[in-house]
Amino acid sequence: MTRILFFGRLRDVAGYSERDLEIPDTVATVTDLRALLSADDPELGDAIAARGVRVAVNQSFCLNELASVRDAREIAFMSPLSGG
């Protein structure tokens, strides 16, 4: 099982801050995971595909969408931060 976390606005769109998910073997990258989550909830899919959303796998930020999610214990989606 992999713990999927949502922060900020993404938590509001998802309706929860975390969930445990059995990631299928066909899901290998961040792109694949976004597609899987989008198929389950299109509104969440749009939100996590938005510009500026950052993804961390096992508490390390991913530098690209092809980052591996295989054997991940935790994957976090973070909405863009605004400063002021």
Side-chain angles (χ1 to χ4, degrees):
M1 273 304 183
T2 302
R3 176 169 287 159
I4 309 294
L5 305 171
F6 298 98
F7 292 94
R9 187 180 86 74
L10 302 176
R11 177 183 54 236
D12 297 335
V13 172
Y16 49 86
S17 60
E18 64 181 70
R19 81 184 251 205
D20 289 328
L21 179 67
E22 186 69 41
I23 297 178
D25 291 337
T26 57
V27 175
T29 66
V30 170
T31 298
D32 296 338
L33 179 60
R34 286 184 200 260
L36 177 72
L37 295 172
S38 181
D40 186 47
D41 182 341
E43 184 179 357
L44 177 61
D46 288 344
I48 62 176
R51 182 181 169 151
V53 170
R54 307 237 5 228
V55 180
V57 175
N58 294 330
Q59 300 183 358
S60 293
F61 282 110
C62 297
L63 299 178
N64 65 60
E65 292 295 306
L66 298 178
S68 177
V69 296
R70 290 198 189 272
D71 301 319
R73 293 176 316 284
E74 178 183 280
I75 301 169
F77 288 89
M78 290 157 271
S79 57
L81 300 175
S82 60

Coordinates of all heavy atoms in Angstrom, one line a residue:
M1 N 0.8 -1.2 0.0 CA 0.0 0.0 0.0 C 0.9 1.3 0.0 O 1.9 1.3 0.7 CB -0.8 0.1 1.3 CG -2.2 -0.6 1.3 SD -3.3 -0.2 0.0 CE -4.6 -1.2 0.6
T2 N 0.4 2.2 -0.7 CA 1.1 3.5 -0.8 C 0.2 4.6 -0.2 O -1.0 4.6 -0.5 CB 1.4 3.9 -2.2 OG1 2.2 2.8 -2.8 CG2 2.2 5.2 -2.3
R3 N 0.7 5.4 0.7 CA -0.1 6.5 1.2 C 0.0 7.7 0.2 O 1.1 8.1 -0.1 CB 0.4 6.9 2.6 CG -0.3 8.1 3.1 CD 0.0 8.4 4.6 NE -0.7 7.3 5.3 CZ -0.3 6.9 6.5 NH1 0.6 7.5 7.1 NH2 -1.0 6.0 7.1
I4 N -1.2 8.2 -0.2 CA -1.3 9.3 -1.1 C -1.7 10.5 -0.3 O -2.8 10.4 0.4 CB -2.2 9.1 -2.3 CG1 -2.0 7.7 -3.0 CG2 -2.2 10.2 -3.2 CD1 -0.7 7.6 -3.7
L5 N -1.0 11.6 -0.3 CA -1.3 12.8 0.5 C -1.7 13.9 -0.4 O -1.1 14.1 -1.5 CB -0.1 13.2 1.4 CG 0.5 12.1 2.3 CD1 1.8 12.6 2.9 CD2 -0.5 11.7 3.3
F6 N -2.6 14.8 0.0 CA -3.0 16.0 -0.7 C -2.9 17.2 0.2 O -3.4 17.1 1.4 CB -4.4 15.8 -1.3 CG -4.6 14.7 -2.2 CD1 -5.1 13.5 -1.8 CD2 -4.2 14.9 -3.6 CE1 -5.2 12.4 -2.7 CE2 -4.3 13.8 -4.4 CZ -4.8 12.6 -4.0
F7 N -2.3 18.2 -0.2 CA -2.1 19.4 0.6 C -2.8 20.6 -0.1 O -2.9 20.7 -1.3 CB -0.7 19.7 0.8 CG 0.0 18.7 1.7 CD1 0.7 17.6 1.1 CD2 0.0 18.7 3.0 CE1 1.3 16.6 1.9 CE2 0.6 17.8 3.8 CZ 1.3 16.7 3.2
G8 N -3.2 21.6 0.8 CA -3.7 22.9 0.3 C -5.1 22.6 -0.4 O -5.9 21.9 0.0
R9 N -5.2 23.3 -1.5 CA -6.5 23.3 -2.3 C -6.7 21.9 -2.8 O -7.9 21.5 -2.9 CB -6.3 24.2 -3.5 CG -7.6 24.4 -4.3 CD -7.5 25.3 -5.5 NE -7.0 24.7 -6.7 CZ -7.7 23.8 -7.4 NH1 -8.9 23.5 -7.1 NH2 -7.1 23.3 -8.5
L10 N -5.7 21.1 -3.0 CA -5.9 19.7 -3.5 C -6.6 18.9 -2.5 O -7.4 18.0 -2.9 CB -4.5 19.1 -3.9 CG -3.7 19.8 -5.0 CD1 -2.4 19.2 -5.2 CD2 -4.5 19.9 -6.2
R11 N -6.4 19.1 -1.2 CA -7.1 18.4 -0.2 C -8.6 18.7 -0.2 O -9.4 17.9 -0.1 CB -6.5 18.8 1.2 CG -7.2 18.2 2.4 CD -6.7 18.7 3.7 NE -6.7 20.1 3.8 CZ -5.6 20.9 4.0 NH1 -4.5 20.3 4.3 NH2 -5.7 22.2 4.1
D12 N -8.9 20.0 -0.5 CA -10.3 20.4 -0.6 C -11.0 19.7 -1.8 O -12.1 19.3 -1.7 CB -10.4 21.9 -0.7 CG -9.9 22.6 0.5 OD1 -9.8 22.0 1.6 OD2 -9.4 23.8 0.4
V13 N -10.3 19.7 -2.9 CA -10.9 19.1 -4.1 C -11.1 17.6 -3.9 O -12.1 17.0 -4.3 CB -10.0 19.3 -5.4 CG1 -10.5 18.6 -6.6 CG2 -9.9 20.8 -5.7
A14 N -10.1 16.9 -3.3 CA -10.2 15.5 -3.1 C -11.2 15.1 -2.1 O -11.9 14.1 -2.1 CB -8.8 14.9 -2.6
G15 N -11.4 16.0 -1.1 CA -12.3 15.7 0.0 C -11.7 14.9 1.1 O -12.4 14.5 2.1
Y16 N -10.4 14.7 1.1 CA -9.6 14.1 2.1 C -8.2 14.5 2.0 O -7.7 14.9 1.0 CB -9.8 12.5 2.0 CG -9.6 12.0 0.7 CD1 -8.3 11.7 0.2 CD2 -10.6 11.8 -0.2 CE1 -8.1 11.2 -1.1 CE2 -10.4 11.3 -1.5 CZ -9.1 11.0 -1.9 OH -8.9 10.5 -3.2
S17 N -7.4 14.3 3.1 CA -6.0 14.7 3.1 C -5.1 13.5 2.7 O -4.0 13.7 2.3 CB -5.6 15.3 4.4 OG -5.8 14.4 5.4
E18 N -5.6 12.3 3.0 CA -4.8 11.1 2.6 C -5.6 9.9 2.4 O -6.8 9.9 2.8 CB -3.7 10.9 3.7 CG -4.3 10.5 5.0 CD -3.2 10.2 6.1 OE1 -2.6 11.2 6.5 OE2 -3.0 9.0 6.4
R19 N -5.0 9.0 1.6 CA -5.7 7.7 1.4 C -4.6 6.7 1.1 O -3.6 7.0 0.6 CB -6.7 7.8 0.3 CG -6.2 7.7 -1.1 CD -7.2 7.9 -2.2 NE -7.5 6.6 -2.9 CZ -8.0 6.6 -4.1 NH1 -8.3 7.7 -4.8 NH2 -8.2 5.4 -4.7
D20 N -4.9 5.5 1.4 CA -4.0 4.4 1.1 C -4.5 3.8 -0.2 O -5.7 3.6 -0.4 CB -4.0 3.3 2.2 CG -3.3 3.8 3.5 OD1 -2.4 4.6 3.3 OD2 -3.7 3.4 4.6
L21 N -3.5 3.5 -1.1 CA -3.9 3.1 -2.4 C -2.9 1.9 -2.8 O -1.7 2.1 -2.7 CB -3.7 4.2 -3.4 CG -4.0 3.9 -4.9 CD1 -5.5 3.6 -5.1 CD2 -3.6 5.1 -5.7
E22 N -3.5 0.9 -3.3 CA -2.7 -0.2 -3.9 C -2.4 0.2 -5.4 O -3.3 0.2 -6.2 CB -3.4 -1.5 -3.8 CG -2.6 -2.7 -4.3 CD -1.5 -3.1 -3.3 OE1 -1.7 -3.0 -2.1 OE2 -0.4 -3.3 -3.8
I23 N -1.2 0.6 -5.7 CA -0.9 1.1 -7.0 C -0.6 -0.2 -7.9 O 0.2 -1.0 -7.6 CB 0.4 2.0 -7.0 CG1 0.0 3.2 -6.2 CG2 0.8 2.4 -8.4 CD1 1.2 4.2 -6.0
P24 N -1.4 -0.2 -9.0 CA -1.2 -1.4 -9.9 C 0.2 -1.4 -10.6 O 0.8 -0.4 -10.7 CB -2.3 -1.1 -11.0 CG -3.2 0.0 -10.5 CD -2.4 0.7 -9.5
D25 N 0.6 -2.6 -11.0 CA 1.9 -2.7 -11.6 C 2.0 -1.9 -12.9 O 3.1 -1.6 -13.3 CB 2.2 -4.2 -11.9 CG 2.4 -5.0 -10.7 OD1 2.8 -4.4 -9.6 OD2 2.2 -6.3 -10.8
T26 N 0.9 -1.6 -13.5 CA 0.9 -0.8 -14.8 C 1.3 0.7 -14.5 O 1.5 1.4 -15.5 CB -0.4 -0.9 -15.5 OG1 -1.5 -0.5 -14.6 CG2 -0.7 -2.3 -15.9
V27 N 1.2 1.1 -13.3 CA 1.5 2.5 -12.9 C 3.0 2.6 -12.5 O 3.3 2.1 -11.4 CB 0.6 3.0 -11.8 CG1 1.0 4.4 -11.4 CG2 -0.9 3.0 -12.3
A28 N 3.8 3.2 -13.3 CA 5.2 3.3 -13.0 C 5.8 4.7 -12.8 O 6.8 4.8 -12.1 CB 6.0 2.7 -14.2
T29 N 5.1 5.7 -13.3 CA 5.6 7.1 -13.2 C 4.6 8.0 -12.6 O 3.4 7.6 -12.4 CB 6.0 7.6 -14.6 OG1 4.8 7.7 -15.3 CG2 7.0 6.7 -15.3
V30 N 5.0 9.2 -12.3 CA 4.1 10.2 -11.8 C 3.0 10.5 -12.8 O 1.8 10.6 -12.4 CB 4.8 11.5 -11.5 CG1 3.9 12.7 -11.2 CG2 5.8 11.3 -10.3
T31 N 3.3 10.5 -14.1 CA 2.3 10.7 -15.1 C 1.2 9.6 -15.1 O 0.0 9.8 -15.2 CB 3.0 10.7 -16.5 OG1 3.9 11.8 -16.6 CG2 2.0 10.8 -17.6
D32 N 1.7 8.3 -14.9 CA 0.8 7.2 -14.8 C -0.1 7.3 -13.6 O -1.3 7.1 -13.7 CB 1.5 5.9 -14.7 CG 2.4 5.5 -15.9 OD1 2.1 6.1 -17.0 OD2 3.3 4.7 -15.8
L33 N 0.4 7.8 -12.5 CA -0.4 7.9 -11.3 C -1.4 9.0 -11.4 O -2.6 8.9 -11.0 CB 0.5 8.2 -10.1 CG -0.2 8.4 -8.7 CD1 -1.0 7.1 -8.4 CD2 0.8 8.7 -7.6
R34 N -1.0 10.1 -12.0 CA -2.0 11.2 -12.3 C -3.1 10.7 -13.1 O -4.3 11.0 -12.9 CB -1.3 12.4 -13.0 CG -0.4 13.2 -12.1 CD 0.1 14.4 -12.9 NE 1.3 15.0 -12.4 CZ 1.3 16.1 -11.6 NH1 0.2 16.7 -11.3 NH2 2.4 16.6 -11.2
A35 N -2.8 9.9 -14.2 CA -3.9 9.3 -15.0 C -4.8 8.4 -14.2 O -6.0 8.4 -14.4 CB -3.3 8.6 -16.2
L36 N -4.2 7.6 -13.4 CA -5.0 6.7 -12.5 C -6.0 7.4 -11.6 O -7.2 7.1 -11.6 CB -4.1 5.8 -11.7 CG -4.8 4.8 -10.7 CD1 -5.5 3.7 -11.5 CD2 -3.8 4.3 -9.7
L37 N -5.5 8.4 -10.9 CA -6.3 9.2 -10.0 C -7.3 10.0 -10.8 O -8.5 10.2 -10.3 CB -5.4 10.2 -9.2 CG -4.5 9.5 -8.2 CD1 -3.5 10.5 -7.6 CD2 -5.2 8.7 -7.2
S38 N -7.0 10.5 -12.0 CA -7.9 11.2 -12.8 C -9.1 10.4 -13.3 O -10.2 10.8 -13.4 CB -7.2 11.9 -14.0 OG -8.1 12.6 -14.8
A39 N -8.8 9.1 -13.6 CA -9.8 8.2 -14.1 C -10.8 7.9 -13.0 O -12.0 7.8 -13.3 CB -9.2 6.9 -14.6
D40 N -10.4 7.9 -11.8 CA -11.3 7.7 -10.6 C -12.1 9.0 -10.2 O -13.2 8.9 -9.8 CB -10.4 7.3 -9.4 CG -11.2 6.9 -8.2 OD1 -12.2 6.1 -8.4 OD2 -10.9 7.3 -7.1
D41 N -11.4 10.2 -10.4 CA -12.1 11.4 -10.0 C -11.6 12.5 -11.0 O -10.5 13.1 -10.8 CB -11.7 11.8 -8.6 CG -12.4 13.0 -8.1 OD1 -12.8 13.9 -8.9 OD2 -12.4 13.2 -6.8
P42 N -12.3 12.8 -12.1 CA -11.9 13.8 -13.1 C -11.6 15.2 -12.5 O -10.6 15.8 -13.0 CB -13.0 13.8 -14.1 CG -13.6 12.5 -14.0 CD -13.5 12.1 -12.5
E43 N -12.4 15.6 -11.5 CA -12.1 16.9 -10.9 C -10.8 16.9 -10.2 O -10.0 17.9 -10.4 CB -13.2 17.3 -10.0 CG -13.1 18.7 -9.4 CD -14.2 19.1 -8.5 OE1 -15.2 18.3 -8.3 OE2 -14.1 20.2 -7.9
L44 N -10.5 15.9 -9.5 CA -9.2 15.8 -8.8 C -8.1 15.7 -9.9 O -7.0 16.3 -9.7 CB -9.1 14.6 -7.9 CG -7.8 14.3 -7.2 CD1 -7.4 15.5 -6.3 CD2 -7.9 13.1 -6.3
G45 N -8.3 14.9 -10.9 CA -7.3 14.8 -12.0 C -7.0 16.2 -12.6 O -5.8 16.4 -12.8
D46 N -8.0 17.0 -12.8 CA -7.7 18.3 -13.3 C -6.9 19.2 -12.3 O -6.0 19.9 -12.7 CB -9.0 19.1 -13.6 CG -9.7 18.5 -14.9 OD1 -9.1 17.8 -15.7 OD2 -10.9 18.9 -15.0
A47 N -7.2 19.0 -11.1 CA -6.5 19.8 -10.0 C -5.1 19.4 -9.9 O -4.2 20.2 -9.8 CB -7.2 19.7 -8.7
I48 N -4.8 18.1 -9.9 CA -3.4 17.6 -9.8 C -2.6 17.8 -11.0 O -1.3 17.7 -11.0 CB -3.3 16.2 -9.2 CG1 -3.9 15.2 -10.2 CG2 -3.9 16.1 -7.8 CD1 -3.7 13.7 -9.8
A49 N -3.3 18.1 -12.2 CA -2.6 18.3 -13.4 C -2.3 19.8 -13.6 O -1.6 20.2 -14.6 CB -3.4 17.8 -14.6
A50 N -2.8 20.6 -12.8 CA -2.7 22.1 -12.9 C -1.2 22.5 -12.8 O -0.4 21.9 -12.1 CB -3.5 22.8 -11.8
R51 N -0.9 23.6 -13.5 CA 0.4 24.2 -13.4 C 0.8 24.5 -12.0 O 0.1 25.0 -11.2 CB 0.4 25.5 -14.3 CG 1.8 26.1 -14.3 CD 1.7 27.4 -15.1 NE 2.9 28.1 -15.0 CZ 3.5 28.9 -15.8 NH1 2.8 29.1 -17.0 NH2 4.6 29.5 -15.6
G52 N 2.1 24.2 -11.6 CA 2.6 24.5 -10.3 C 2.4 23.4 -9.3 O 3.0 23.6 -8.2
V53 N 1.6 22.4 -9.5 CA 1.4 21.3 -8.6 C 2.7 20.5 -8.5 O 3.3 20.1 -9.5 CB 0.2 20.4 -8.9 CG1 0.2 19.2 -8.0 CG2 -1.1 21.2 -8.8
R54 N 3.2 20.4 -7.3 CA 4.5 19.6 -7.1 C 4.1 18.3 -6.5 O 3.2 18.1 -5.8 CB 5.4 20.4 -6.1 CG 5.6 21.8 -6.5 CD 7.0 22.4 -6.7 NE 8.1 21.5 -6.6 CZ 9.2 21.8 -5.9 NH1 9.2 22.9 -5.2 NH2 10.2 21.0 -5.9
V55 N 5.0 17.3 -6.8 CA 4.9 15.9 -6.3 C 6.1 15.5 -5.6 O 7.2 15.8 -6.1 CB 4.6 15.0 -7.5 CG1 4.4 13.6 -7.0 CG2 3.3 15.4 -8.3
A56 N 6.0 14.9 -4.5 CA 7.1 14.3 -3.7 C 6.8 12.8 -3.6 O 5.7 12.4 -3.2 CB 7.2 15.0 -2.4
V57 N 7.9 12.0 -3.9 CA 7.8 10.6 -3.7 C 8.8 10.3 -2.5 O 10.0 10.6 -2.6 CB 8.2 9.8 -4.9 CG1 8.3 8.3 -4.7 CG2 7.2 10.2 -6.1
N58 N 8.3 9.6 -1.5 CA 9.1 9.3 -0.3 C 9.8 10.6 0.2 O 11.0 10.5 0.5 CB 10.0 8.2 -0.6 CG 9.3 6.9 -0.9 OD1 8.2 6.7 -0.4 ND2 9.9 6.0 -1.7
Q59 N 9.1 11.7 0.3 CA 9.5 12.9 0.8 C 10.7 13.6 0.0 O 11.4 14.5 0.5 CB 9.9 12.8 2.3 CG 8.8 12.3 3.1 CD 9.1 12.2 4.6 OE1 10.2 12.4 5.0 NE2 8.1 11.9 5.4
S60 N 10.8 13.2 -1.3 CA 11.8 13.9 -2.2 C 11.0 14.4 -3.4 O 10.3 13.7 -4.0 CB 12.8 12.9 -2.7 OG 13.7 12.5 -1.6
F61 N 11.2 15.7 -3.6 CA 10.5 16.3 -4.8 C 10.9 15.7 -6.1 O 12.1 15.4 -6.3 CB 10.7 17.8 -4.9 CG 9.9 18.6 -3.9 CD1 10.5 19.2 -2.8 CD2 8.5 18.7 -4.0 CE1 9.7 19.9 -1.9 CE2 7.7 19.4 -3.1 CZ 8.3 20.0 -2.1
C62 N 9.9 15.4 -6.9 CA 10.2 14.9 -8.3 C 10.6 16.0 -9.2 O 10.0 17.1 -9.2 CB 8.9 14.2 -8.8 SG 8.4 12.8 -7.8
L63 N 11.6 15.8 -10.0 CA 12.0 16.8 -10.9 C 11.3 16.7 -12.3 O 11.4 17.7 -13.0 CB 13.6 16.7 -11.1 CG 14.4 16.9 -9.8 CD1 15.8 16.7 -10.1 CD2 14.1 18.3 -9.2
N64 N 10.7 15.6 -12.5 CA 10.0 15.5 -13.8 C 8.8 14.4 -13.6 O 8.8 13.7 -12.7 CB 10.9 15.1 -15.0 CG 11.5 13.8 -14.8 OD1 10.8 12.8 -14.7 ND2 12.8 13.7 -14.8
E65 N 8.0 14.4 -14.7 CA 6.8 13.6 -14.6 C 7.1 12.1 -14.8 O 6.3 11.2 -14.7 CB 5.8 14.0 -15.7 CG 5.2 15.4 -15.4 CD 4.3 15.4 -14.2 OE1 3.4 14.5 -14.1 OE2 4.6 16.2 -13.3
L66 N 8.4 11.8 -15.2 CA 8.7 10.4 -15.4 C 9.4 9.8 -14.2 O 9.9 8.6 -14.3 CB 9.7 10.3 -16.6 CG 9.1 10.8 -18.0 CD1 10.1 10.7 -19.1 CD2 7.8 10.0 -18.3
A67 N 9.3 10.5 -13.1 CA 9.9 10.0 -11.9 C 9.1 8.7 -11.5 O 7.9 8.6 -11.6 CB 9.8 11.0 -10.7
S68 N 9.8 7.7 -11.0 CA 9.2 6.4 -10.6 C 8.4 6.5 -9.3 O 8.8 7.2 -8.4 CB 10.3 5.4 -10.4 OG 9.7 4.2 -10.0
V69 N 7.2 5.8 -9.4 CA 6.4 5.7 -8.2 C 6.4 4.3 -7.7 O 5.7 3.9 -6.7 CB 5.0 6.2 -8.4 CG1 5.0 7.7 -8.7 CG2 4.3 5.5 -9.5
R70 N 7.1 3.4 -8.4 CA 7.2 2.0 -8.0 C 7.8 1.9 -6.6 O 8.8 2.5 -6.3 CB 8.0 1.2 -9.0 CG 7.4 1.1 -10.3 CD 8.0 -0.1 -11.1 NE 7.5 -0.1 -12.5 CZ 6.4 -0.7 -12.9 NH1 5.7 -1.4 -12.0 NH2 6.1 -0.7 -14.1
D71 N 7.2 1.0 -5.8 CA 7.6 0.8 -4.4 C 7.6 2.0 -3.5 O 8.3 2.0 -2.5 CB 9.0 0.1 -4.4 CG 9.0 -1.2 -5.2 OD1 8.1 -2.0 -5.1 OD2 10.0 -1.4 -5.9
A72 N 6.9 3.0 -3.9 CA 6.8 4.2 -3.1 C 6.0 3.9 -1.8 O 5.0 3.2 -1.9 CB 6.2 5.4 -3.8
R73 N 6.4 4.4 -0.7 CA 5.6 4.3 0.5 C 4.7 5.5 0.7 O 3.6 5.4 1.3 CB 6.6 4.2 1.7 CG 7.4 3.0 1.8 CD 8.4 3.0 2.9 NE 9.1 4.2 3.1 CZ 10.2 4.6 2.4 NH1 10.6 3.9 1.4 NH2 10.8 5.8 2.7
E74 N 5.1 6.6 0.2 CA 4.3 7.9 0.3 C 4.5 8.7 -0.9 O 5.6 8.9 -1.4 CB 4.8 8.6 1.5 CG 4.1 9.9 1.8 CD 4.6 10.6 3.0 OE1 4.3 10.3 4.1 OE2 5.5 11.5 2.8
I75 N 3.4 9.3 -1.4 CA 3.4 10.2 -2.6 C 2.5 11.4 -2.2 O 1.4 11.2 -1.8 CB 2.9 9.6 -3.8 CG1 3.7 8.3 -4.2 CG2 2.9 10.6 -5.0 CD1 3.2 7.5 -5.3
A76 N 3.1 12.6 -2.2 CA 2.4 13.8 -1.8 C 2.2 14.7 -3.0 O 3.1 14.9 -3.8 CB 3.1 14.5 -0.7
F77 N 1.0 15.2 -3.2 CA 0.7 16.3 -4.2 C 0.5 17.6 -3.4 O -0.3 17.6 -2.5 CB -0.6 15.9 -4.9 CG -0.5 14.7 -5.8 CD1 -0.7 13.4 -5.4 CD2 -0.1 14.9 -7.2 CE1 -0.5 12.4 -6.2 CE2 0.1 13.8 -8.0 CZ -0.2 12.6 -7.6
M78 N 1.2 18.6 -3.8 CA 1.1 19.9 -3.2 C 0.7 21.0 -4.1 O 1.4 21.1 -5.2 CB 2.5 20.2 -2.5 CG 2.8 19.3 -1.3 SD 4.5 19.2 -1.0 CE 4.9 17.8 -2.0
S79 N -0.3 21.8 -3.8 CA -0.7 22.9 -4.6 C 0.3 24.0 -4.5 O 1.1 24.1 -3.6 CB -2.1 23.4 -4.2 OG -2.1 23.7 -2.8
P80 N 0.3 24.8 -5.6 CA 1.3 25.9 -5.6 C 1.1 26.8 -4.4 O 0.0 27.0 -3.9 CB 1.0 26.7 -6.9 CG 0.1 25.8 -7.7 CD -0.5 24.8 -6.7
L81 N 2.2 27.3 -3.9 CA 2.2 28.3 -2.8 C 2.1 29.7 -3.3 O 2.7 30.0 -4.3 CB 3.4 28.1 -1.9 CG 3.6 26.7 -1.3 CD1 4.9 26.7 -0.5 CD2 2.5 26.4 -0.3
S82 N 1.4 30.5 -2.6 CA 1.4 31.9 -2.9 C 2.0 32.7 -1.8 O 1.8 32.4 -0.6 CB -0.1 32.4 -3.2 OG -0.9 32.3 -2.1
G83 N 2.8 33.7 -2.2 CA 3.4 34.5 -1.1 C 2.9 35.9 -1.1 O 2.1 36.3 -1.9
G84 N 3.4 36.6 -0.2 CA 2.8 38.0 -0.1 C 3.6 38.8 0.9 O 4.3 38.5 1.7

